[in-house]
């Protein structure tokens, strides 16, 4: 199951401009401006999903303008020096809204769902502190993909393809590519490589 997250991006092509004019802010909670590095920004978005009543975004239609205080800035293209003009441009309708895919993640124990999350970057199944490799039977739409043998598996969105998945050797995807990436972590098999699935696929990982 997939969802969309609205984000504010630099409007590089005025011909495709979809500004924020007409969506003026009447309450502080109506728009989120995050001054965070990518890992912290992603964590704030996860917190918003767990408790939308206490955070600005949640499952509501709230544009997010990320200010890059880190080094990479994959999720935050505006630098701290550009923050003032960028905020003015956003409130003036001079930026476009870009929608990002998210993952609907369910954890099931003994066949019954026990916890659920919405992930902007990825869902990771890892072996933890154990020195042993783990076996992860992986299915897509009910069909067996493979059983990964290694330290874990990253199920990533296109946005997350520039995060942990990239560090583990996964491909970099443009945000608009409708896809899910399966990236094994330190696989103990030469044939187990990253795999790109369509965004409508239902991925099951059995530990």
């Amino acid at each position: 199951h997939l969802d969309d997250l609205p984000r504010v991006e630099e409007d590089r092509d005025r011909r495709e401009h979809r500004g924020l004019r007409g969506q003026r802010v009447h309450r502080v909670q109506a728009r989120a401006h995050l001054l965070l590095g990518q890992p912290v920004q992603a964590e704030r978005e996860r917190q918003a999903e767990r408790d939308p009543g206490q955070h600005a975004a949640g499952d509501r239609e709230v544009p997010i303008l990320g200010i890059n205080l880190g080094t990479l800035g994959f999720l935050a293209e505006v630098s701290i020096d550009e923050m003032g003009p960028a905020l003015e441009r956003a409130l003036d309708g001079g930026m476009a809204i870009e929608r990002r895919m998210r993952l609907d993640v369910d954890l099931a124990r003994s066949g019954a769902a026990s916890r659920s999350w919405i992930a902007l970057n990825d869902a990771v199944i890892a072996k933890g502190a154990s020195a042993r490799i783990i076996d992860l039977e992986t299915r897509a739409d009910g069909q067996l993909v493979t059983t990964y043998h290694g330290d874990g598996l990253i199920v990533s969105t296109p946005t997350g393809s520039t995060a942990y998945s990239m560090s583990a050797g996964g491909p970099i995807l443009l945000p608009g590519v409708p896809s899910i990436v399966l990236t094994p972590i330190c696989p103990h098999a030469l044939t187990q490589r990253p795999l790109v699935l369509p965004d409508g696929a239902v991925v099951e990982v059995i530990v």
Side-chain angles (χ1 to χ4, degrees):
H1 297 82
L2 305 175
D3 195 359
D4 289 319
L5 177 69
R7 292 184 61 249
V8 179
E9 292 288 345
E10 296 282 1
D11 187 7
R12 295 185 177 87
D13 189 347
R14 301 294 294 188
R15 293 171 299 177
E16 296 181 5
H17 173 66
R18 293 178 56 219
L20 298 175
R21 193 177 303 279
Q23 302 181 33
R24 284 291 185 172
V25 181
H26 298 290
R27 295 183 301 170
V28 174
Q29 292 84 1
R31 181 170 294 131
H33 303 292
L34 303 183
L35 286 77
L36 305 165
Q38 177 169 347
V40 181
Q41 179 171 339
E43 174 59 24
R44 290 295 183 271
E45 288 158 352
R46 285 194 291 270
Q47 291 175 358
E49 300 306 334
R50 290 194 295 266
D51 190 1
Q54 298 299 318
H55 299 274
D59 58 358
R60 290 170 286 185
E61 294 286 322
V62 180
I64 295 174
L65 174 59
I67 309 299
N68 181 19
L69 300 184
T71 54
L72 296 178
F74 289 120
L75 292 179
E77 296 185 358
V78 178
S79 70
I80 188 67
D81 295 332
E82 301 169 327
M83 179 178 65
L87 291 177
E88 292 180 5
R89 193 158 59 252
L91 293 174
D92 244 0
M95 286 190 176
I97 296 177
E98 181 178 286
R99 304 186 71 84
R100 294 292 178 97
M101 186 193 102
R102 295 183 294 184
L103 300 175
D104 217 353
V105 183
D106 294 317
L107 171 63
R109 297 181 186 274
S110 301
S114 59
R115 295 192 64 182
S116 297
W117 300 267
I118 295 178
L120 173 64
N121 269 0
D122 48 44
V124 180
I125 302 97
K127 66 182 182 64
S130 172
R132 298 173 60 89
I133 65 173
I134 57 176
D135 298 329
L136 301 173
E137 179 183 317
T138 305
R139 296 178 176 272
D141 295 329
Q143 301 297 313
L144 179 65
V145 175
T146 188
T147 297
Y148 291 103
H149 310 282
D151 288 351
L153 179 66
I154 304 165
V155 183
S156 171
T157 65
T159 299
S161 72
T162 58
Y164 193 6
S165 176
M166 180 183 72
S167 298
I172 296 177
L173 302 178
L174 293 176
V177 177
S179 57
I180 297 172
V181 184
L182 303 182
T183 305
I185 304 171
C186 299
H188 194 64
L190 294 176
T191 57
Q192 294 184 343
R193 300 293 96 194
L195 176 66
V196 179
L197 299 173
D199 63 349
V202 177
V203 178
E204 299 174 80
V205 181
I206 302 171
V207 180

